[in-house]
């Protein structure tokens, strides 16, 4: 289960007087509500996708350099990052250069997911337990991502430097050789590209100073 201080690291890394990122609060969603996910493109020091799944009232997060793929033959590196608050799923904008994660963010995809997690005997297990064990399967229903996916830990242990692999499961939503150009990708919230979001932020800053 997520701890009450699950967002401590997230808050410690940020100065909320300087960043528009949500401070957030840890807490469970509505009973029976569908679990949510978001995938953001983050043009920081290194361009990457942030893959986030709702687990116990926070967004469990992985940085995926090349982004999710619909091709089951393609394995994507996924590096765990700190838990994020649930309201981060709608965050889009520019983080100041001198702040942690400085750069432009767009919401590339969002939607709901359901657990397909089982143990070695095929018995259903809680999703947080599956992540703790290092292998979690799930079904995604987003604007762009659909079908079964799996996250598998390949190196490290919880709390230390870890490496995971994100893969698409073989189903009717699988595709061969697809990929996403992050600089041409558009936000599912506003239809804007990274460049357009950065330009809009610059214009707003200029208007505020004039």
């Amino acid at each position: 289960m997520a701890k009450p201080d699950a967002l401590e690291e997230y808050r410690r890394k940020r100065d909320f007087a300087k960043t528009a990122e949500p401070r957030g609060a840890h807490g469970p969603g509505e009973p029976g509500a569908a679990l949510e996910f978001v995938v953001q493109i983050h043009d920081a020091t290194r361009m990457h996708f942030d893959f986030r799944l709702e687990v116990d009232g926070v967004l469990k997060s992985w940085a995926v350099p090349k982004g999710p793929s619909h091709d089951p033959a393609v394995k994507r590196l996924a590096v765990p990052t700190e838990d994020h608050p649930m309201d981060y799923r709608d965050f889009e904008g520019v983080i100041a250069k001198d702040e942690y994660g400085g750069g432009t963010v767009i919401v590339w995809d969002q939607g709901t997911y359901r657990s397909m997690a089982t143990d070695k005997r095929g018995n259903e297990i809680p999703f947080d337990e599956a992540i703790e064990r290092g292998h979690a399967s799930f079904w995604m229903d987003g604007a762009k991502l659909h079908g079964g996916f799996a996250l598998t830990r390949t190196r490290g242990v919880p709390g230390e430097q870890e490496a995971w692999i994100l893969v698409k499961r073989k189903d009717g939503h699988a595709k061969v050789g697809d990929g996403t150009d992050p600089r041409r990708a558009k936000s599912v919230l506003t239809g804007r590209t990274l460049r357009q979001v950065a330009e809009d932020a610059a214009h707003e800053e200029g208007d505020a100073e004039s």
Side-chain angles (χ1 to χ4, degrees):
M1 298 292 290
K3 300 178 181 179
D5 61 351
L7 297 176
E8 180 180 0
E9 183 180 0
Y10 170 84
R11 297 194 182 106
R12 178 178 58 79
K13 290 181 174 180
R14 292 162 174 83
D15 182 346
F16 294 100
K18 297 179 180 179
T19 180
E21 295 168 281
R23 183 176 180 84
H26 168 257
E30 293 295 326
L35 296 170
E36 298 186 63
F37 79 87
V38 64
V39 181
Q40 286 152 313
I41 300 179
H42 191 173
D43 187 10
T45 303
R46 294 181 179 179
M47 179 82 74
H48 64 277
F49 291 68
D50 286 311
F51 190 88
R52 313 189 196 279
L53 301 173
E54 177 186 354
V55 182
D56 291 330
V58 296
L59 291 170
K60 289 289 182 184
S61 302
W62 291 260
V64 183
K66 295 184 178 181
S69 172
H70 270 109
D71 189 340
V74 175
K75 297 179 179 179
R76 298 297 203 202
L77 172 66
V79 179
T81 63
E82 72 275 13
D83 295 342
H84 281 53
M86 286 301 301
D87 43 0
Y88 208 94
R89 65 191 184 279
D90 293 323
F91 175 71
E92 189 167 277
V94 177
I95 303 171
K97 290 183 179 180
D98 58 347
E99 286 299 295
Y100 174 76
T104 308
V105 177
I106 64 170
V107 177
W108 178 71
D109 195 18
Q110 63 178 200
T112 61
Y113 82 95
R114 57 180 172 84
S115 172
M116 298 170 63
T118 59
D119 61 19
K120 293 181 179 180
R121 296 182 178 180
N123 299 314
E124 184 177 345
I125 61 174
F127 196 72
D128 59 340
E129 181 179 333
I131 290 178
E132 189 71 19
R133 293 185 181 190
H135 179 74
S137 296
F138 47 97
W139 184 276
M140 305 185 76
D141 288 305
K144 299 174 182 177
L145 295 176
H146 304 279
F149 287 80
L151 277 161
T152 303
R153 186 168 57 234
T154 61
R155 185 180 72 242
V157 297
E160 298 181 5
Q161 185 61 45
E162 299 176 45
W164 293 61
I165 295 296
L166 173 67
V167 297
K168 176 75 182 72
R169 298 173 69 96
K170 293 181 180 179
D171 56 36
H173 296 283
K175 301 176 183 178
V176 176
D178 69 324
T180 299
D181 180 350
R183 297 199 179 279
R184 300 184 66 179
K186 294 183 178 181
S187 162
V188 294
L189 295 183
T190 63
R192 297 181 296 173
T193 63
L194 287 165
R195 179 181 59 79
Q196 290 170 328
V197 169
E199 289 176 348
D200 289 347
H203 291 156
E204 291 173 4
E205 184 177 348
D207 292 341
E209 293 177 352
S210 61

